Amino acid sequence: FGSSSREGTGCTVRNSAAPRRVGVPSAHVMAPPTRDDIYRTMESALARSLEGILRLPEGVLLANRDTRGRWGEAGAYYAYCIRCGTWLTLDVAQSHEACGGSWWDDRLHKAAATWAPQLEKMAAHVRQGEDPYFGLLDLRAAPPSERCSLPALSLGRRQLVRMSFPRLGEPLDVCIDVPESTAAAGGGATLSDAERQPLRILLYFHGHGEDYRLGPKSVPGLAVVSANCPRSVGGKRCFWFQEGAGGAWERHEHAKLRKCDAMLEAMAAVLDASTAALVALDWPGGIDAQVCIMGVSMGGHAALEFARSAPGRVRCLAVAAGYYQEPEMEELLKSIASIPLLLAHRTGDRCCPFGNIQRLHRLRLALPATPAAVTDSWFEEGIRHGPTDEELQDVIRWVLAQSR
């Protein structure tokens, strides 16, 4: 675990004992980390917006990431105490304050101190009630409001809330982006056209590796709800509404995957709670009873599956660079036959092959005509997977046009 080399200068080391492990399998020998371990791990953690870094005590350094799952869950981060020479899981590390150890490695400590300016900027966000990475209003620890199960939302802000679902085994974080309202200013301010209309809600499903906090932004008359898909549910890898082995998912071997009903239930509850919180804002035109659904890549499949499970709640559906299991396409299309549908894809996409979504498009066009069933296809040449920022805005405009 880590490198077997030791930093020989600037250290006070007890040579008579090997590093200890807390929450890490004891059958494995793990050497102390090197400065390079510190650098690589911090770069990885910050790139992934890892929670908990700011809660590490002095002398406890984030020092390794188990990418292959040799020590526990794949992708887990581990910290190292330079006082007592102990490897710690990230959860345990946050409360490792009074170990009484006599070790100290100046070189490792200085390596970690390289990140101090960035960590201080993150801490400043936290002191202002914002999340450390994106500066979003952080309501995840706030109490529920009197009018709904979520904390009171603010107009004109992107904000984070947290919901608990026992079946998932961990909380689900949700970003809710609410547009501004002139009505909040009071004084008889003139309402915009968007405010006179019911506030529409876009439920966004992110793709694999995409941060839910970087989803589409709200626009006048449209709020955006974007949840974070957990890595696993019940000990199984989770890909929104599919669960199973990661290799099967990457190879599109859908027969080896199962539907994740727990996530379907959770996202229905997220939509209910988010809608209630938006209603509590007293938007001048009220809240649209139906929602717009959008998903990219893995989230494209999730958008289709969610619409299939609750077609009556969906006003329109946009799928970019998505996919769906072919044996169930006809049943899907029966469920969403009356929902306006946009399919956007590049013909050379290697992550989600175009042929899959092309078949879905052809089957959709073969359905008996339904007045409300708009079907648009934005198919272009190229190998890029997923939309550009400009294309994403085009999709938002399509959504708004369908929901008028």
Side-chain angles (χ1 to χ4, degrees):
F1 192 90
S3 171
S4 60
S5 64
R6 300 295 295 269
E7 305 292 351
T9 61
C11 308
T12 301
V13 181
R14 295 177 301 184
N15 292 318
S16 59
R20 297 181 294 125
R21 301 154 293 271
V22 177
V24 184
S26 59
H28 302 282
V29 176
M30 292 177 277
T34 66
R35 290 178 298 174
D36 285 343
D37 291 332
I38 302 291
Y39 293 140
R40 286 194 299 266
T41 307
M42 284 297 297
E43 286 178 348
S44 168
L46 294 173
R48 289 173 170 79
S49 305
L50 181 68
E51 300 279 352
I53 293 178
L54 296 177
R55 294 191 290 272
L56 292 178
E58 178 72 11
V60 178
L61 315 179
L62 200 65
N64 217 316
R65 180 171 184 253
D66 183 9
T67 57
R68 299 182 180 180
R70 291 185 297 173
W71 322 109
E73 181 180 356
Y77 286 85
Y78 293 90
Y80 182 78
C81 178
I82 59 175
R83 284 196 176 94
C84 64
T86 302
W87 281 104
L88 308 152
T89 62
L90 186 56
D91 289 342
V92 172
Q94 294 171 36
S95 59
H96 188 78
E97 297 178 346
C99 64
S102 59
W103 288 26
W104 190 264
D105 189 322
D106 286 334
R107 299 185 72 183
L108 291 183
H109 185 258
K110 289 178 180 178
T114 304
W115 306 97
Q118 186 167 351
L119 294 177
E120 175 53 34
K121 291 180 181 179
M122 294 166 60
H125 280 304
V126 173
R127 289 193 293 268
Q128 296 172 20
E130 300 170 340
D131 90 287
Y133 288 98
F134 300 96
L136 308 185
L137 182 61
D138 195 345
L139 304 175
R140 288 176 289 183
S145 70
E146 296 179 355
R147 298 181 58 181
C148 65
S149 61
L150 295 181
L153 301 179
S154 297
L155 292 164
R157 291 295 303 266
R158 289 173 74 86
Q159 44 227 298
L160 303 179
V161 298
R162 176 166 287 170
M163 301 179 63
S164 296
F165 299 98
R167 289 191 64 188
L168 298 186
E170 63 181 69
L172 199 63
D173 287 351
V174 183
C175 178
I176 305 178
D177 191 355
V178 185
E180 294 182 348
S181 170
T182 57
T190 302
L191 297 179
S192 65
D193 291 339
E195 291 173 290
R196 293 190 182 97
Q197 301 296 322
L199 178 65
R200 287 155 290 184
I201 301 173
L202 173 66
L203 182 61
Y204 179 73
F205 293 96
H206 66 77
H208 182 65
E210 179 185 1
D211 196 299
Y212 73 107
R213 290 165 290 193
L214 295 177
K217 296 181 179 179
S218 66
V219 297
L222 179 72
V224 180
V225 177
S226 175
N228 183 40
C229 178
R231 177 181 173 83
S232 61
V233 171
K236 299 178 181 178
R237 283 294 307 276
C238 175
F239 311 96
W240 282 118
F241 308 132
Q242 291 181 302
E243 61 182 19
W249 175 77
E250 291 172 356
R251 295 187 295 271
H252 294 277
E253 296 174 344
H254 301 291
K256 297 181 180 179
L257 302 173
R258 296 180 57 186
K259 183 181 294 186
C260 187
D261 292 322
M263 273 302 297
L264 269 171
E265 293 176 8
M267 285 308 300
V270 165
L271 180 56
D272 289 340
S274 301
T275 301
L278 291 169
V279 168
L281 289 172
D282 296 322
W283 186 263
I287 305 296
D288 195 337
Q290 291 184 305
V291 297
C292 309
I293 307 291
M294 178 182 175
V296 174
S297 188
M298 172 182 78
H301 176 276
L304 291 166
E305 195 68 71
F306 189 88
R308 177 183 177 180
S309 69
R313 305 188 67 174
V314 181
R315 183 168 296 281
C316 62
L317 174 60
V319 177
Y323 63 92
Y324 199 79
Q325 53 270 28
E326 295 197 10
E328 298 183 35
M329 281 185 178
E330 292 187 3
E331 291 301 317
L332 163 72
L333 292 171
K334 288 178 183 178
S335 296
I336 65 171
S338 62
I339 299 174
L341 174 65
L342 169 65
L343 299 172
H345 216 106
R346 285 186 170 78
T347 58
D349 190 331
R350 297 174 182 175
C351 294
C352 293
F354 172 66
N356 177 273
I357 216 70
Q358 183 181 41
R359 173 172 169 76
L360 182 67
H361 179 243
R362 289 173 177 171
L363 290 173
R364 167 85 170 193
L365 294 180
L367 291 175
T370 304
V374 173
T375 304
D376 287 330
S377 57
W378 298 352
F379 298 154
E380 298 181 5
E381 294 183 355
I383 62 173
R384 178 188 173 94
H385 178 62
T388 63
D389 291 340
E390 293 77 11
E391 291 166 345
L392 191 62
Q393 292 307 308
D394 289 338
V395 175
I396 296 295
R397 284 189 280 272
W398 180 90
V399 165
L400 289 170
Q402 304 307 315
S403 57
R404 290 193 179 111

